Amino acid sequence: MEHNDDMEIFRPDSAPGWQWVLAFLCWLTAVFTMYHVEHSVYAGILKTNTFSLALLPLPILIAPFFRDDEKAEETKAKKRFRWFFVAFILAAAVFCLICFWERNYMISLCQIGFGCLSLLLPKHLQKTDLPMGILAIYALLTIGTLAAPHIAGYTSVAEAAEILQEQGYTNITFQQTPHGRMIADELPDSDFTPEEWKNPIYLFSAEKDGEKWAAVVSPVRRGIIGETPAPEGSEIEMWLRMY
C-alpha cells in the first residue's frame, strides 16, 4: 500500500496482526470493565453505557472505507475544526451537567472527556494504524469509567458492607438495590434525602446482637440511612425473603 510522505492512510486491512490483537484485547478489557463496574461493583446504581460503547468500533471501522485517499491529509482548517468539535462537545456536556444535574451524568461526562483526549493525542499517534487508534480510545474510556464513580462520590457494595461491619453488624448479605420510596415505609426511622428517595439504594440483611436486621446504606453519603429489626414472620423479613 502506498503512503504519503508524512502520514499513513487509515485502512482496516493495512495494520499488522499484532495491532489488531492488541486493539481487540483492549476493547474486550474495556467492555468487561464497564460491565463489571456497573453490575458487580455498584450493583446497577450507576450506568456505564456498556452497550453503546461496545458498539463504538463499528463506525470507526466502516469510516475509513469512505475516505478519499488523495484527500486524506489533514488541512489546517480540518485540524482547527477538530479542536473546535472537541471543545464544543465538552462545553455542551459541562453545561448539561450544571443545568440538569444528576450524579449519574458524571459517568458519561468522564467517558466523553477521556474519549475526546484520543482526538488530541500527539501527531504521530493520530496518524498510526486504525487498531492503535481503537486501542487508545478504549484505554482512555476504561480510565474514565474507573475514575468517574470516585469523582461522583459513589460508594461501592463492598464499601457499604464495611460500613455495616464497623457498626457492629455480622453475617452481612447484600440483597438488592430498590428505590428509596419502595422501602421507606418499612424503615420508620429512615433518613432519605430526595436523591435517595427517587434513586436506588443498597439494601442488606445482617445480624446484630443475635437478631436479624434489615439495613439500608446510601450509595452517595457513605452511611446507614435506615435500619430496623427483621424478626421471623415480620413484614420486613417477608419482604427480604422475596428477593
Side-chain angles (χ1 to χ4, degrees), residues 27-51 53-54 107 111 141-142 145-146:
W27 171 84
L28 189 65
T29 300
V31 173
F32 172 78
T33 300
M34 294 172 194
Y35 183 87
H36 178 70
V37 167
E38 178 176 345
H39 296 283
S40 298
V41 180
Y42 294 96
I45 65 168
L46 55 83
K47 304 301 178 184
T48 58
N49 310 304
T50 305
F51 181 75
L53 293 178
I107 310 299
Q111 290 174 333
L141 285 175
T142 301
T145 300
L146 293 173

Side-chain angles (χ1 to χ4, degrees), residues 10 74 82 118-128:
F10 284 71
E74 285 188 314
R82 184 176 62 215
S118 63
L119 300 175
L120 305 177
L121 291 173
K123 186 175 181 179
H124 68 280
L125 288 180
Q126 294 172 9
K127 294 177 179 178
T128 190

Side-chain angles (χ1 to χ4, degrees), residues 25 41 58 60 82 87 92 106 109 152 167 179 217 223 229:
L25 290 177
V41 180
L58 292 180
I60 297 176
R82 184 176 62 215
M106 183 64 71
L109 180 64
Q167 297 300 316
H179 285 69
V217 177

Side-chain angles (χ1 to χ4, degrees), residues 155-171:
T155 301
S156 69
V157 174
E159 291 170 337
E162 290 178 0
I163 292 172
L164 292 175
Q165 191 173 18
E166 292 171 357
Q167 297 300 316
Y169 285 98
T170 59
N171 295 328

Side-chain angles (χ1 to χ4, degrees), residues 184-192 224-229:
D185 291 341
E186 307 296 341
L187 301 166
D189 297 325
S190 59
D191 179 28
F192 294 168
I224 299 173
I225 57 174
E227 53 188 340
T228 185

Side-chain angles (χ1 to χ4, degrees), residues 227-242:
E227 53 188 340
T228 185
E232 189 74 25
S234 65
E235 290 187 10
I236 185 64
E237 193 273 338
M238 294 178 62
W239 197 90
L240 287 174
R241 278 197 287 121
M242 293 173 59

Side-chain angles (χ1 to χ4, degrees), residues 29-194:
T29 300
V31 173
F32 172 78
T33 300
M34 294 172 194
Y35 183 87
H36 178 70
V37 167
E38 178 176 345
H39 296 283
S40 298
V41 180
Y42 294 96
I45 65 168
L46 55 83
K47 304 301 178 184
T48 58
N49 310 304
T50 305
F51 181 75
S52 58
L53 293 178
L55 297 179
L56 182 60
L58 292 180
I60 297 176
L61 292 172
I62 294 173
F65 288 108
F66 296 93
R67 292 186 61 171
D68 185 349
D69 290 352
E70 296 180 356
K71 299 180 180 178
E73 188 172 1
E74 285 188 314
T75 64
K76 291 184 178 180
K78 288 182 178 180
K79 291 179 181 179
R80 286 196 296 268
F81 175 77
R82 184 176 62 215
W83 280 87
F84 172 79
F85 177 76
V86 171
F88 176 79
I89 292 296
L90 290 177
V94 172
F95 174 80
C96 291
L97 182 69
I98 295 174
C99 295
F100 308 100
W101 163 255
E102 285 286 345
R103 193 178 299 270
N104 220 337
Y105 293 167
M106 183 64 71
I107 310 299
S108 296
L109 180 64
C110 284
Q111 290 174 333
I112 291 172
F114 278 88
C116 285
L117 288 178
S118 63
L119 300 175
L120 305 177
L121 291 173
K123 186 175 181 179
H124 68 280
L125 288 180
Q126 294 172 9
K127 294 177 179 178
T128 190
D129 286 319
L130 182 59
M132 301 305 288
I134 294 176
L135 187 152
I137 290 174
Y138 276 93
L140 289 167
L141 285 175
T142 301
I143 296 172
T145 300
L146 293 173
H150 297 284
I151 295 174
Y154 280 109
T155 301
S156 69
V157 174
E159 291 170 337
E162 290 178 0
I163 292 172
L164 292 175
Q165 191 173 18
E166 292 171 357
Q167 297 300 316
Y169 285 98
T170 59
N171 295 328
I172 301 167
T173 302
F174 173 69
Q175 296 291 334
Q176 57 167 322
T177 53
H179 285 69
R181 60 180 177 271
M182 296 176 60
I183 191 67
D185 291 341
E186 307 296 341
L187 301 166
D189 297 325
S190 59
D191 179 28
F192 294 168
T193 64

